[in-house]
Amino acid sequence: MDKTKSSTIHLTVIRNDDFLSPYWADRPVISGEAASILDNLIQTVPQNNLKHLQIDIASDGIDAKEKGIYREAIHYYYENELKNIQRKRRKNVESGLTMLAIGAGILTLHALGDYLGLRPVTSEILDIAGWVFIWQAVTQFGIERHKMNLDRVRIRALANAKIVYSKLDSQARKVMREENKKREQ
């Protein structure tokens, strides 16, 4: 972290043949495992340091062509995730408004119940049902939407992150040698 409120996520790639997903459509994307570790690592970055996010990928086996492919795969994966979260946010608003309208409608019936001569039990059921729908709308707008907004900020940071490459350190090289020994056996 530096004075410009930026952060760097350090990612070590021991076996770069697992970095890209074997399944993709028009452009390569990172594997689910690579995305999972990036998603995990970004949770430690303070939200106000996400504007200038950098991902430092340490590996000795990534050539210049692969660097471009990996950069694009990371950005494409998180661009798709950003579209997905935006879709979820729209659905959240739609369902929240629907819940609010249903709750208001039920509470209106409850209020009219006095004039319609509803039994106390029916009136109480309408009261409870109306408040349950309204509470669900509040939960969606207040709690779930806040979480989605935070996820959107993090996903956008990953989609726009600057990708840099570095060499493996001695500890990572040791792990790589042990991994290669296991594969040979």
Side-chain angles (χ1 to χ4, degrees), residues 75-90:
H75 290 157
Y76 187 58
Y77 179 90
Y78 285 105
E79 287 167 7
N80 287 336
E81 287 294 304
L82 191 55
K83 290 174 188 172
N84 187 32
I85 197 81
Q86 289 167 334
R87 236 183 336 270
K88 285 180 182 178
R89 289 178 75 235
R90 276 193 304 276

Side-chain angles (χ1 to χ4, degrees), residues 2 25 27-29 36 41 47 51-53 61 63 77 98 110-111 115 118 144 161 169 172 182:
D2 60 24
R27 292 170 32 191
V29 295
S36 178
L41 291 171
Q47 188 174 359
K51 189 170 184 177
H52 302 287
L53 184 68
D63 63 31
Y77 179 90
T98 301
H110 173 262
Y115 298 110
L118 290 178
E144 291 176 19
D169 62 18
K182 288 179 188 176

Side-chain angles (χ1 to χ4, degrees), residues 19 38 53-57 67 70-72 74-75 158-165:
F19 193 76
L38 286 172
L53 184 68
Q54 179 172 293
I55 300 172
D56 178 7
I57 301 174
K67 287 178 182 180
Y70 287 9
R71 181 178 295 111
E72 286 297 314
I74 291 169
H75 290 157
L158 287 165
N160 297 320
K162 179 180 179 180
I163 312 296
V164 296
Y165 296 91

Side-chain angles (χ1 to χ4, degrees), residues 13-14 16 57-63 166-169 172-173 176:
V13 178
I14 301 295
N16 57 327
I57 301 174
S59 176
D60 288 343
I62 302 174
D63 63 31
S166 59
K167 295 292 182 186
L168 291 175
D169 62 18
R173 283 194 184 97
M176 188 173 82

Side-chain angles (χ1 to χ4, degrees), residues 139-181:
T139 300
Q140 284 187 242
F141 284 130
I143 299 169
E144 291 176 19
R145 190 162 175 81
H146 174 72
K147 184 184 177 321
M148 280 190 242
N149 286 338
L150 183 55
D151 288 345
R152 184 183 64 162
V153 168
R154 288 185 171 135
I155 290 168
R156 181 177 287 137
L158 287 165
N160 297 320
K162 179 180 179 180
I163 312 296
V164 296
Y165 296 91
S166 59
K167 295 292 182 186
L168 291 175
D169 62 18
S170 60
Q171 179 65 27
R173 283 194 184 97
K174 180 180 175 184
V175 171
M176 188 173 82
R177 282 191 299 275
E178 290 172 7
E179 184 74 21
N180 287 337
K181 285 179 186 177

